[in-house]
Amino acid sequence: MSVEQPEMEVIANFVDEAGQCLVILNEKLLVAESGNIDENLVDEMFRAAHSIKGAAGFLDFKDIAKITHSLETVLDNVRHKKLQFKPSVVDALFVAFDTISSLLAVLLTDDQEAIEITEVVAQLNSVLETDDSGQEQAQDSEQELGEIPVWMQGRLSLDDVLEGLIQQGMGKHLYAVFIELNEIFRRKQDPTAIYRALKQNLHIQSVIPLTANNSIWEPLHTFSYDVGMLVFSELTLSQAISGLPLPAFDAWEILETGLQPEIIHFQQAAVIDIGQPIATLQPKNDMRKHLSLWLNETSEELDQLDAILVTFEKEPESTCYLHEMFRLLHRIKGSSANMGLNAMSRIAHNSESLLEQYRSLGTTPSGKVFEVMFLAKDFLQECLNRIQHDEYTAPSSDKFDQALTEQLFAFPEVEKNGILVKWRFSDKIIEDARLMAGEHSNIYLVQITLFPEVSLADLRYGMILRELNDSAEIIFSDPSVRELEQGIDAPPPLQIIVVYARDAESLRACLNVDMVEAIYIEPIGVKSGKSELVAGEQRAAESSQVIAGSMVDTVRVDTARLDQMMNIAGELVISKARVTQLTDTLEKHLHALDLRAIETLIWKEQQGADRNFSNGNGSGHISVDRLRRLENSMQELVAAQESATLLRDTSLELHRHTSSLQNCVMQARMVPIGPLFQRFQRLVRDVGKERNRKARLVLSGEGTELDKKLIDELTDPLTHLIRNSVDHGLESPEERIAAGKSEQGTVQLEAYHEGSQICIRITDDGRGLDEARILQKAVMNGIVTEENSPQMSQKEIFQLIFQPGFSTAEKITNISGRGVGMDIVRSKIKELKGQIDIESEAGKGAAFTIRLPLTLAMIEGLLVRIGKTKYVFSLESVKEIVEFAPENIFEVHGKGRMIQLRNDAIALVDLCSVMDVDALANSEKSIRAVITRNVGETIAVMVDKVLGKEEVVVKALSQEFKETKGISGATVLGDGGIALILDVLAICGLAKERALGVG
């Protein structure tokens, strides 16, 4: 139960259950009103009203309890034929139902508006035609039951007393039960669950709230009130409640003889009811608007849970991971319950309960406990996946429930140094003690146990505390000094949180007095160095930082909105390019005008006009009027030149701002790759266990950022590659030892930037790829002909494993062997405009390197013209631009046309021959070519003209061009024209096919 706002979780559970009871009441009353009345119908209504009344009384919701008490009385009279469902009775019941519904609604809001219930209760009482003597009769009859506790006196109704007497006469046991709710909260239990558990095994006749003047809105960890109940059972109370998840409470058996009742103290360990499987995953209608946000948050929490589980399994003694897992499950439980996804909430709650046992006793979880937690995580993940795909049927939880039950009921005894230790201090008390003591003090948890035969143990514990207080500072003790002084029969071992200046051995010597059997001391903070607990918390903080990232202010943005922003930024870049181009053209034309010459011409014409005018001969070649207009035009041209210069400056400023906006939008889409990498810790663990491999995953570069869309798409290909590295790449422990290696293999997953690309590299230290076997399989499967196989390089042979249906596995397993996975890898990487390279050395391992653009939205490109069409090379794929004479071209059999560039022979590609594009312009003098780099291979693509570098916005091809080989997209240029973006990898493949005569 949450410490911050536990009251809302309790209230929500109550409102939910009470709402279900109201549905039953309304439905049954409608049936009764139509005249179809039977005993079962009235009994169902009575039980529903009784359930609301009992739970409301248990939680001190006085108004609801008061109405339902009157409601229950009316229905009881109908049940015993004392009253009929007349119109006045039905109307009064419906009014009561509506009022209860309104009271429930108020409980879930911050509005504490008072709802008047006096008239409703009066209307219910009026149909009974009773007087006020009932309570007095009840008080007079209470003594008939026998001696009852003081807190119950005067609080029973006449019906309660009469029912109790009847049950006593039938030989049943009648009990007064007293429960302190704070005891329930200390155990992190749900009061409504406690009430349901009691009601299933006992008949609860009356619930009596025993509260102080508290507000129900006060946090429950400070809310102090108790609950009394009158119950009866055919069995003794001990037998009836055996095995129930109950806290410690007191009970008195009420005997007919009127003798002093025996007080029974129950100190039962809570046995957890795991509940029944829930088949649906249907979110509440009113919560569907929050579903997207909930899915994102819960997905992140499950990723964190998976990462912590893998780490915790390796370091089970590090309790920091236990606490972190508990907090994550608690959040998932609460958020799932709020969404109405009770199937998930149940699994999270049960997992949380299992962890709580280890948290409270401080023991180390076993391997089977981790298996249970992995099953829980997988169940929750599967639920999440189904909801994302609009599937609302929950997966089976049978396997988890069985494993959980085995662990809950086989919980081991915990022993530390021969002493049974269970700290009765909460985590919060321990943390508060640490804060109170400061950073430079020694803080210890101490348990002191006396010999069993010691008399007056409470006084002896009190003396120990008083003596210890002279040399140390006691922050907390259980039992307290006050409790010990008041007297405790058979007190439990004394537990203390103490600040002590010296070391633990000195403290032990100080406490080792007469009649002390055992002393257990656990440091929780020492000035000489960090204890295990403190160091563990440091590891938890580091783990949290790795998982959650740096603590910064963030806001969640729907990826669809980011996509829209990116599209707008892309259009803005295109518009900016057009403005820049038009500005350049305008400035070019204006500055090409020789204004000085025009000025000279005008001056000469003015001089001639003046002379002719003075001689009386009229104007010169140009009339005076035209000359003035020409002068005005000249001034406008000068102003236009100045404006063009300013426009150019403004265009450059627009370019800077647009680039900044584009970068900001791109950065908004960039997320660290670490959370994706963390998922594979679990994969390596599971595959290693299944295939008898001892494997560890080493991560590096988790802070490397990548476009979120790319990260979402990388899950499948990385899963296949890492699974194959463990299954195929790593040897069994026996094989590794025989090969002189450590029995544990290593798979390394790293990410790093290379220019404007990101590289993801998966490396293993296993057996490596068998080049000969791959080639043999390829020939057997008809992927490569025997004639061509000798000419293939090692890199080309390794690339064969990506062919559809290719596999070297001897047998098919549920992990691999069908030859599907690697084909999926290559297809996905190609779809992401990336490429994958393989390096391997026999006996030492293999490495797969994926190279991807940082984003799929925009690229830096090299604009060229081939024939009449413009094309774009991604700048990352361009090595250099060369020009050579036609006579430098030569032919190689099986390779096609080649050119000699320095010391390398490079394949020459004419797009006209490998693709249906415009023909190159005829040129006898020289040939231009763009030299590309591509997975270790280099080709030269012939072009007519290199137009320059340009930033381009990638536009997806329409559906009819999706299968066009060699083209990966298109872009709109600054002049409004279209340029096609070349896929260098595909062009290389097409060129090879043509050289080999394929296709």
Side-chain angles (χ1 to χ4, degrees):
M1 186 170 294
S2 173
V3 175
E4 292 77 17
Q5 278 192 325
E7 69 276 9
M8 289 313 297
E9 186 175 341
V10 174
I11 292 169
N13 287 339
F14 165 72
V15 169
D16 186 50
E17 292 186 11
Q20 294 175 24
C21 292
L22 275 179
V23 170
I24 294 172
L25 287 167
N26 277 287
E27 289 178 352
K28 299 302 179 185
L29 188 55
L30 286 170
V31 174
E33 190 179 28
S34 66
N36 299 322
I37 305 173
D38 58 36
E39 290 184 2
N40 290 335
L41 179 143
V42 182
D43 287 342
E44 284 185 56
M45 294 181 68
F46 181 84
R47 285 194 294 270
H50 188 74
S51 294
I52 300 175
K53 172 192 146 184
F58 201 82
L59 294 172
D60 193 35
F61 297 143
K62 292 185 178 68
D63 288 348
I64 298 176
K66 193 170 183 180
I67 292 180
T68 47
H69 177 72
S70 299
L71 182 64
E72 182 187 45
T73 305
V74 171
L75 293 170
D76 190 49
N77 276 268
V78 174
R79 188 169 59 159
H80 290 95
K81 313 297 184 187
K82 298 176 182 178
L83 194 65
Q84 295 181 344
F85 281 122
K86 297 182 294 185
S88 60
V89 174
V90 172
D91 290 344
L93 291 175
F94 274 129
V95 170
F97 298 165
D98 294 342
T99 306
I100 295 170
S101 180
S102 299
L103 289 168
L104 292 175
V106 169
L107 290 179
L108 292 177
T109 66
D110 293 331
D111 182 12
Q112 298 188 40
E113 177 188 355
I115 296 177
E116 184 57 50
I117 66 165
T118 306
E119 292 184 7
V120 180
V121 174
Q123 187 177 1
L124 288 169
N125 291 336
S126 67
V127 301
L128 295 171
E129 298 179 352
T130 59
D131 54 33
D132 296 332
S133 62
Q135 189 61 38
E136 293 179 7
Q137 293 177 24
Q139 292 178 15
D140 293 339
S141 302
E142 283 178 356
Q143 59 185 351
E144 300 284 341
L145 293 174
E147 187 172 351
I148 61 175
V150 175
W151 54 262
M152 185 176 278
Q153 293 174 8
R155 295 175 179 266
L156 297 177
S157 68
L158 180 60
D159 286 345
D160 295 335
V161 174
L162 293 176
E163 190 68 33
L165 290 170
I166 292 170
Q167 298 302 326
Q168 280 182 331
M170 296 171 63
K172 294 186 179 179
H173 298 275
L174 192 64
Y175 291 96
V177 174
F178 181 90
I179 296 181
E180 182 185 352
L181 254 66
N182 276 348
E183 177 65 21
I184 296 176
F185 301 143
R186 277 195 292 270
R187 299 173 66 86
K188 297 181 174 62
Q189 292 180 278
D190 183 348
T192 54
I194 299 293
Y195 178 76
R196 286 197 305 270
L198 286 170
K199 196 170 73 169
Q200 287 175 357
N201 292 269
L202 301 168
H203 180 92
I204 301 176
Q205 177 61 31
S206 179
V207 176
I208 305 168
L210 306 168
T211 66
N213 294 323
N214 299 114
S215 164
I216 63 167
W217 302 102
E218 184 177 343
L220 287 183
H221 62 282
T222 62
F223 196 104
S224 176
Y225 66 88
D226 308 316
V227 173
M229 289 185 288
L230 177 67
V231 305
F232 53 82
S233 170
E234 292 182 356
L235 303 173
T236 66
L237 190 58
S238 300
Q239 293 170 333
I241 65 173
S242 176
L244 292 183
L246 301 176
F249 66 90
D250 293 336
W252 294 258
E253 184 170 5
I254 302 173
L255 304 173
E256 293 180 85
T257 59
L259 299 175
Q260 176 68 31
E262 178 185 359
I263 300 178
I264 306 171
H265 295 278
F266 291 94
Q267 297 288 344
Q268 293 183 207
V271 179
I272 301 162
D273 178 12
I274 66 172
Q276 295 298 316
I278 299 170
T280 61
L281 283 174
Q282 193 72 252
K284 294 177 182 175
N285 288 333
D286 58 337
M287 296 299 288
R288 284 185 172 275
K289 59 186 177 184
H290 305 300
L291 184 60
S292 178
L293 177 62
W294 177 83
L295 285 169
N296 289 333
E297 290 181 345
T298 308
S299 179
E300 290 176 7
E301 288 165 350
L302 287 176
D303 286 344
Q304 293 177 31
L305 181 64
D306 209 30
I308 292 171
L309 260 173
V310 173
T311 308
F312 189 23
E313 188 180 33
K314 298 173 184 174
E315 304 176 40
E317 70 286 349
S318 299
T319 56
C320 57
Y321 300 119
L322 179 65
H323 299 318
E324 185 63 28
M325 283 168 56
F326 186 89
R327 285 190 287 270
L328 283 168
L329 284 165
H330 187 78
R331 287 204 295 270
I332 293 171
K333 177 188 79 170
S335 64
S336 300
N338 289 337
M339 292 297 298
L341 300 168
N342 294 327
M344 294 181 67
S345 180
R346 183 182 78 90
I347 298 300
H349 173 72
N350 289 338
S351 304
E352 182 186 37
S353 299
L354 178 60
L355 293 180
E356 174 59 24
Q357 298 199 43
Y358 289 91
R359 288 207 327 159
S360 61
L361 291 180
T363 53
T364 300
S366 64
K368 290 185 177 179
V369 172
F370 288 108
E371 293 299 333
V372 174
M373 300 312 298
F374 278 121
L375 287 172
K377 188 272 168 183
D378 290 343
F379 178 90
L380 295 170
Q381 186 67 61
E382 177 61 23
C383 288
L384 208 68
N385 296 340
R386 292 191 180 197
I387 294 168
Q388 286 174 325
H389 292 89
D390 297 327
E391 297 177 25
Y392 300 114
T393 303
S396 172
S397 64
D398 292 348
K399 192 173 181 181
F400 167 80
D401 290 340
Q402 181 179 353
L404 173 74
T405 303
E406 290 174 0
Q407 293 307 305
L408 286 177
F409 293 100
F411 193 73
E413 290 290 319
V414 53
E415 193 167 311
K416 295 183 178 180
N417 300 335
I419 305 169
L420 187 66
V421 177
K422 177 182 177 182
W423 296 117
R424 301 190 293 275
F425 303 117
S426 68
D427 291 343
K428 185 177 186 304
I429 288 177
I430 294 174
E431 184 59 34
D432 289 346
R434 213 182 264 120
L435 295 173
M436 289 168 64
E439 298 179 0
H440 305 292
S441 301
N442 298 333
I443 314 170
Y444 300 100
L445 288 175
V446 180
Q447 176 172 292
I448 303 169
T449 307
L450 301 178
F451 286 106
E453 68 274 10
V454 174
S455 60
L456 301 176
D458 49 351
L459 296 179
R460 189 168 293 274
Y461 280 140
M463 290 171 59
I464 292 173
L465 287 175
R466 282 192 293 271
E467 291 179 9
L468 180 61
N469 202 42
D470 293 337
S471 58
E473 181 185 356
I474 299 173
I475 300 180
F476 294 105
S477 71
D478 186 4
S480 67
V481 175
R482 183 179 178 184
E483 290 171 330
L484 291 167
E485 287 176 347
Q486 290 177 347
I488 300 175
D489 292 332
L494 177 63
Q495 294 188 348
I496 313 167
I497 303 179
V498 61
V499 177
Y500 189 65
R502 301 172 65 186
D503 59 23
E505 288 308 312
S506 299
L507 178 60
R508 184 184 300 278
C510 179
L511 296 170
N512 194 13
V513 297
D514 186 35
M515 304 306 292
V516 169
E517 179 184 30
I519 301 171
Y520 177 77
I521 300 176
E522 181 177 326
I524 61 171
V526 292
K527 62 185 178 184
S528 57
K530 289 185 178 179
S531 68
E532 178 60 28
L533 186 61
V534 175
E537 289 178 344
Q538 179 64 28
R539 285 197 299 272
E542 292 170 357
S543 171
S544 177
Q545 288 175 0
V546 169
I547 295 168
S550 58
M551 299 297 291
V552 294
D553 251 352
T554 60
V555 60
R556 293 181 181 274
V557 180
D558 194 323
T559 51
R561 293 185 181 181
L562 284 177
D563 290 340
Q564 186 180 13
M565 288 172 63
M566 184 60 82
N567 287 336
I568 294 171
E571 296 299 331
L572 194 57
V573 169
I574 293 171
S575 299
K576 179 257 304 183
R578 297 195 67 182
V579 169
T580 301
Q581 188 170 26
L582 290 171
T583 301
D584 289 343
T585 303
L586 176 62
E587 188 181 38
K588 180 180 177 181
H589 289 324
L590 285 173
H591 285 280
L593 294 172
D594 189 353
L595 299 185
R596 295 294 297 274
I598 298 174
E599 285 178 339
T600 302
L601 178 62
I602 293 173
W603 182 79
K604 288 182 177 179
E605 287 296 330
Q606 285 176 334
Q607 296 300 317
D610 291 341
R611 284 194 300 271
N612 291 331
F613 183 77
S614 61
N615 295 329
N617 296 329
S619 64
H621 297 93
I622 303 175
S623 67
V624 173
D625 183 54
R626 287 187 176 182
L627 190 59
R628 285 177 183 152
R629 286 203 299 270
L630 185 60
E631 276 186 291
N632 291 335
S633 298
M634 178 62 195
Q635 291 173 1
E636 292 295 330
L637 282 174
V638 172
Q641 276 193 341
E642 293 174 353
S643 296
T645 302
L646 292 173
L647 180 60
R648 176 62 180 166
D649 293 340
T650 305
S651 175
L652 292 174
E653 189 175 352
L654 174 64
H655 175 77
R656 288 195 301 272
H657 292 325
T658 306
S659 298
S660 297
L661 175 62
Q662 173 196 344
N663 289 333
C664 286
V665 176
M666 287 178 63
Q667 288 300 317
R669 294 176 58 94
M670 305 295 274
V671 294
I673 205 168
L676 173 64
F677 278 11
Q678 288 289 343
R679 298 181 191 177
F680 300 117
Q681 293 279 10
R682 172 74 184 281
L683 178 67
V684 170
R685 172 207 179 261
D686 289 349
V687 176
K689 279 183 173 289
E690 187 167 345
R691 299 293 294 155
N692 187 30
R693 304 283 193 270
K694 288 191 175 181
R696 68 186 183 113
L697 180 64
V698 177
L699 305 177
S700 61
E702 295 111 305
T704 306
E705 292 189 335
L706 186 60
D707 191 309
K708 185 180 185 302
K709 183 178 180 182
L710 285 172
I711 285 183
D712 292 340
E713 299 290 339
L714 277 173
T715 303
D716 281 348
L718 288 181
T719 298
H720 285 298
L721 289 173
I722 293 171
R723 183 187 288 128
N724 277 5
S725 291
V726 179
D727 186 22
H728 292 311
L730 298 183
E731 311 93 332
S732 67
E734 297 77 17
E735 290 174 318
R736 290 182 65 85
I737 292 172
K741 300 180 180 180
S742 64
E743 65 175 356
Q744 184 181 51
T746 300
V747 177
Q748 183 166 359
L749 179 59
E750 59 181 322
Y752 54 91
H753 284 109
E754 195 176 82
S756 62
Q757 286 186 316
I758 186 173
C759 296
I760 301 172
R761 188 174 175 87
I762 303 99
T763 310
D764 67 71
D765 62 351
R767 57 172 61 93
L769 296 180
D770 189 334
E771 185 179 339
R773 182 166 175 73
I774 292 172
L775 192 57
Q776 179 187 5
K777 276 277 187 177
V779 173
M780 286 174 57
N781 294 346
I783 297 173
V784 176
T785 63
E786 289 191 18
E787 295 77 17
N788 290 331
S789 61
Q791 303 171 22
M792 297 185 70
S793 66
Q794 185 188 62
K795 290 183 180 294
E796 291 172 329
I797 293 172
F798 287 161
Q799 289 289 320
L800 292 173
I801 68 173
F802 295 114
Q803 291 293 325
F806 185 87
S807 175
T808 58
E810 295 293 341
K811 62 179 181 179
I812 294 174
T813 70
N814 61 345
I815 296 176
S816 57
R818 298 185 185 275
V820 178
M822 299 304 280
D823 177 36
I824 292 174
V825 170
R826 185 175 66 171
S827 299
K828 178 57 70 175
I829 298 303
K830 183 180 178 183
E831 183 182 320
L832 297 176
K833 311 296 184 285
Q835 55 195 39
I836 183 166
D837 187 18
I838 305 174
E839 303 166 56
S840 180
E841 186 174 349
K844 292 188 177 180
F848 294 79
T849 305
I850 299 171
R851 292 182 174 83
L852 295 165
L854 285 177
T855 177
L856 302 179
M858 300 181 188
I859 61 170
E860 290 286 330
L862 180 70
L863 187 64
V864 302
R865 182 170 54 78
I866 302 174
K868 297 179 180 179
T869 307
K870 293 176 181 177
Y871 297 91
V872 176
F873 287 91
S874 170
L875 211 56
E876 280 298 317
S877 65
V878 176
K879 189 175 183 180
E880 59 182 310
I881 302 166
V882 298
E883 193 166 326
F884 52 89
E887 53 267 24
N888 290 339
I889 302 173
F890 58 94
E891 192 89 18
V892 176
H893 178 67
K895 296 285 186 180
R897 293 200 298 171
M898 312 282 287
I899 62 169
Q900 187 73 29
L901 182 63
R902 293 181 281 277
N903 296 325
D904 296 323
I906 300 174
L908 181 64
V909 177
D910 181 357
L911 290 185
C912 314
S913 60
V914 298
M915 296 170 60
D916 187 16
V917 301
D918 295 336
L920 287 159
N922 294 324
S923 175
E924 298 181 357
K925 296 181 180 178
S926 63
I927 295 174
R928 293 184 187 87
V930 174
I931 310 298
T932 70
R933 49 174 147 235
N934 172 46
V935 195
E937 299 179 59
T938 303
I939 61 172
V941 181
M942 297 167 60
V943 300
D944 282 328
K945 187 175 183 180
V946 176
L947 302 176
K949 188 180 82 169
E950 187 158 336
E951 186 179 60
V952 298
V953 178
V954 179
K955 298 288 186 181
L957 296 171
S958 57
Q959 195 60 41
E960 57 267 32
F961 297 109
K962 284 280 188 183
E963 301 301 321
T964 304
K965 292 184 178 180
I967 304 296
S968 63
T971 188
V972 179
L973 300 174
D975 60 2
I978 302 295
L980 299 175
I981 300 172
L982 296 172
D983 184 346
V984 175
L985 187 64
I987 291 171
C988 182
L990 289 170
K992 285 183 180 179
E993 290 176 4
R994 184 170 183 82
L996 294 172
V998 180

